[in-house]
Amino acid sequence: MKFTAFGFDQRLLEGIEASGYDEATPVQEQVIPLVLNGSDVIASAQTGTGKTAAFLLPLINNILSSPLNHQSITALVIVPTRELAIQIAQHMEGLSYFTSVSSIAVFGGGDGNAFVQEKKALSAGADVVICTPGKMLAHINMGYVKLQGLQYLVLDEADRMLDMGFYDDIMRIINALPAKRQNLLFSATMPSKIRELARKILHNPKEINISISKPNEKIIQMAYVVYDTQKIPLVKHILHQKEFSSVLIFCSSKLSVKQLNRELQRTKLAVDEIHSDLEQEKRESVLMDFKSGKLNILVATDILSRGIDIDNIGLVINYDVPHDGEDYVHRIGRTARAAADGTAITFISQKEQRKFGQIEKLLGKEVPKAEVPQEFGEVPEYNPAAFVRNIRSGGNKKPFRHKNNENKNRRTDNPKS
C-alpha cells in the first residue's frame, strides 16, 4: 500500500518522500487507519517492522488537520531509554520537516542547557514530546508542564519499560493526563502484565499482532559451540574472513564489551564500544560514527538491542547468549532490516547451552551449528539437555566434547555413541 493512499496532508507527504518511504509495512498499513479514525490501539510487532512511523505519521497528520491548544502538549510518546527517545525525535524531525509541527525529546543525562530548553518547551506547550518516564515525571512534579490539552498518549516498547521497573512512573504520568485522550500501546511481546496495563489505560482498543517473537525470515542464523577462551579468537577470525557493511556485537556485560573492544582495536579494525559507563555525549558520538560509517564495528551491551535504527547492518554477533528468547529476537533483529539480508551468529559456551536450548524451543527450531575451524582445537559437544542433567547431578561429569572434524556425525544426545 502506497503512503499516498492514506489521505495524508500534502506537507506530510513531502516529508515521507524526502525520508525515502514509498510502501507501507504491514504494521503501518494496519495501524495508521485506526489512529486516523481515533481508535485506541494495542499493537504487538516484531522489531524493525516500522512501528515508529506507524504512530508518528497519523499523529503528525492529525495535528496538522485539527484545531489544537497550542499552549499545551498535544501528544506524549513515552519510551524506555534515552537512545530510543533520541532516535524517535530524529525520525519525527525528518517526517515533519515540511510542516509546522513542533517536537522535543526529554530524557535524563543532559546538561543545564538541555534542562532549560526542556522546561521552556514543556511550560509553553509543544505538539509532540518524546520522553523517558523518570525525566518526564520529574518535570511534571515541578508543576509547570502543560498537559491540559493533551490528546494522544503513546507507550512504545511497553514490555521493556515494565521490565525496567517503570510501571509506577508511567501510572503517575497517566494520572496527570486528561482522561479523554487517544491511547496507543506498542509492545514486542504481550505477557499478562502488558494486558493488565492495557486494560487500565486503553478504551475499547483495536488489537494488531505482527510476527510476535519470531525473527525475520531473511536473517541467516547460525551458532558456534565453543569454550569461553575461544570466543575472542573466533570473533577475530570471522571479522577477517569476510568484509561486512556494519557489524554489531552484543555482550552481556560491560566488562566483556571493554575487553573485546580492546582486543579488536589491537588488530587495527574500525571498532568502538558503547555501554552505560560512558557519558551520554560519548555514547551519542560513537553511535553517530557507527551510523555514518566511520566505524563499521560496534561492540555493545543490550543498551542497543532495541531501538537502533540502521538499515545496513550485515552481521550481528551474540558474543554471549542472550538472557532469553525475546532478547535474542531483539538482538538479531538489528540486521536484515528494510529490504536487506543479514547474518546473526551466536557463540555458545558450556554454561550457556541450557539457555540457548530454551531459546531454540521458543523459536520452534534448532539454529544450525557451524563448524569451528580446526586450528581452534577441541570444542564442547552441543547437548543442552545433558548439560542440565550434569548440573542436577552435582556437576561431577564433564560435558561431552569433541574435536573438530572428528565424529561430527555422531548423535549428540547419546554419550555412548
Side-chain angles (χ1 to χ4, degrees):
M1 182 176 182
K2 300 283 187 181
F3 281 105
T4 50
F6 290 112
F8 286 143
D9 186 285
Q10 184 58 42
R11 292 165 291 177
L12 178 56
L13 287 174
E14 290 180 24
I16 293 170
E17 183 179 359
S19 297
Y21 294 120
D22 183 31
E23 294 274 352
T25 66
V27 69
Q28 292 164 356
E29 191 171 330
Q30 294 185 54
V31 169
I32 289 173
L34 296 176
V35 180
L36 291 175
N37 290 335
S39 298
D40 280 14
V41 174
I42 177 170
S44 176
Q46 173 184 325
T47 185
T49 55
K51 60 183 172 62
T52 300
F55 63 78
L56 285 183
L57 289 172
L59 287 184
I60 296 169
N61 190 79
N62 286 353
I63 290 170
L64 287 171
S65 59
S66 303
L68 300 172
N69 180 355
H70 293 288
Q71 304 303 313
S72 170
I73 297 169
T74 303
L76 187 63
V77 180
I78 307 178
V79 300
T81 66
R82 65 186 72 180
E83 284 77 17
L84 186 55
I86 292 169
Q87 174 195 308
I88 293 176
Q90 291 172 342
H91 205 162
M92 173 77 192
E93 184 177 357
L95 294 174
S96 63
Y97 185 81
F98 298 99
T99 77
S100 59
V101 177
S102 63
S103 62
I104 186 172
V106 175
F107 51 85
D111 56 18
N113 290 332
F115 176 83
V116 171
Q117 184 180 8
E118 290 171 0
K119 181 179 179 181
K120 181 178 179 180
L122 296 175
S123 57
D127 292 323
V128 180
V129 173
I130 303 110
C131 64
T132 52
K135 189 60 182 293
M136 188 64 195
L137 184 60
H139 281 292
I140 290 174
N141 288 339
M142 293 180 191
Y144 47 73
V145 180
K146 299 294 178 60
L147 295 167
Q148 69 276 6
L150 186 128
Q151 296 186 20
Y152 308 99
L153 171 67
V154 180
L155 299 182
D156 192 20
E157 298 202 356
D159 52 346
R160 184 60 172 254
M161 286 195 282
L162 297 196
D163 288 342
M164 295 171 68
F166 285 131
Y167 177 83
D168 289 341
D169 286 353
I170 291 170
M171 293 310 298
R172 290 188 185 102
I173 293 172
I174 290 173
N175 288 335
L177 306 180
K180 186 178 180 181
R181 61 179 188 272
Q182 186 175 4
N183 304 285
L184 313 175
L185 187 152
F186 294 84
S187 182
T189 60
M190 286 292 162
S192 56
K193 57 187 178 182
I194 292 295
R195 298 285 181 185
E196 180 183 349
L197 177 64
R199 283 193 294 270
K200 290 183 178 181
I201 67 171
L202 303 180
H203 306 288
N204 300 317
K206 305 296 184 181
E207 184 165 347
I208 303 296
N209 292 286
I210 304 288
S211 302
I212 303 173
S213 301
K214 298 295 180 182
N216 190 322
E217 292 295 330
K218 293 185 294 184
I219 301 172
I220 300 170
Q221 300 178 62
M222 66 179 72
Y224 288 95
V225 183
V226 294
Y227 294 111
D228 279 322
T229 54
Q230 295 170 317
K231 287 187 175 183
I232 289 179
L234 187 55
V235 171
K236 293 179 181 178
H237 173 81
I238 290 170
L239 294 178
H240 284 97
Q241 283 294 108
K242 179 182 177 181
E243 186 173 341
F244 293 90
S245 55
S246 277
V247 180
L248 190 52
I249 306 175
F250 286 111
C251 300
S252 293
S253 71
K254 292 178 284 189
L255 182 62
S256 294
V257 168
K258 295 172 184 177
Q259 181 183 15
L260 179 58
N261 179 58
R262 186 167 57 249
E263 290 294 327
L264 294 180
Q265 285 182 339
R266 287 174 180 169
T267 66
K268 309 302 181 183
L269 292 168
V271 58
D272 211 332
E273 64 189 41
I274 190 166
H275 47 76
S276 60
D277 279 354
L278 299 179
E279 294 292 333
Q280 179 62 19
E281 185 177 348
K282 174 62 176 175
R283 278 196 247 175
E284 292 176 12
S285 174
V286 171
L287 194 55
M288 187 60 67
D289 286 345
F290 186 57
K291 287 184 176 182
S292 68
K294 185 177 179 180
L295 297 171
N296 72 315
I297 304 169
L298 184 59
V299 186
T301 56
D302 277 328
I303 195 170
L304 287 185
S305 66
R306 304 194 192 200
I308 183 172
D309 190 19
I310 301 175
D311 289 337
N312 65 337
I313 294 176
L315 173 65
V316 169
I317 297 178
N318 290 313
Y319 183 82
D320 301 303
V321 173
H323 177 68
D324 56 31
E326 297 300 338
D327 286 342
Y328 177 81
V329 171
H330 287 302
R331 282 189 184 185
I332 72 172
R334 300 305 93 212
T335 189
R337 293 167 65 86
D341 294 325
T343 301
I345 296 174
T346 302
F347 293 170
I348 311 169
S349 68
Q350 291 170 285
K351 64 179 180 292
E352 296 172 312
Q353 289 197 17
R354 180 175 63 90
K355 190 162 42 172
F356 197 74
Q358 293 171 338
I359 289 173
E360 289 180 314
K361 184 177 180 180
L362 178 125
L363 297 176
K365 65 179 182 179
E366 288 191 12
V367 174
K369 309 304 182 294
E371 190 173 303
V372 180
Q374 277 187 305
E375 61 263 30
F376 288 86
E378 191 177 80
V379 297
E381 195 82 33
Y382 183 65
N383 195 336
F387 193 73
V388 171
R389 289 197 299 271
N390 181 41
I391 293 172
R392 290 174 178 170
S393 65
N396 294 322
K397 296 181 181 180
K398 293 182 179 180
F400 309 130
R401 61 185 66 180
H402 68 89
K403 293 184 178 179
N404 296 318
N405 292 325
E406 180 178 290
N407 301 325
K408 62 183 180 181
N409 294 321
R410 287 183 178 180
R411 286 169 53 89
T412 59
D413 58 347
N414 186 350
K416 294 182 180 180
S417 63

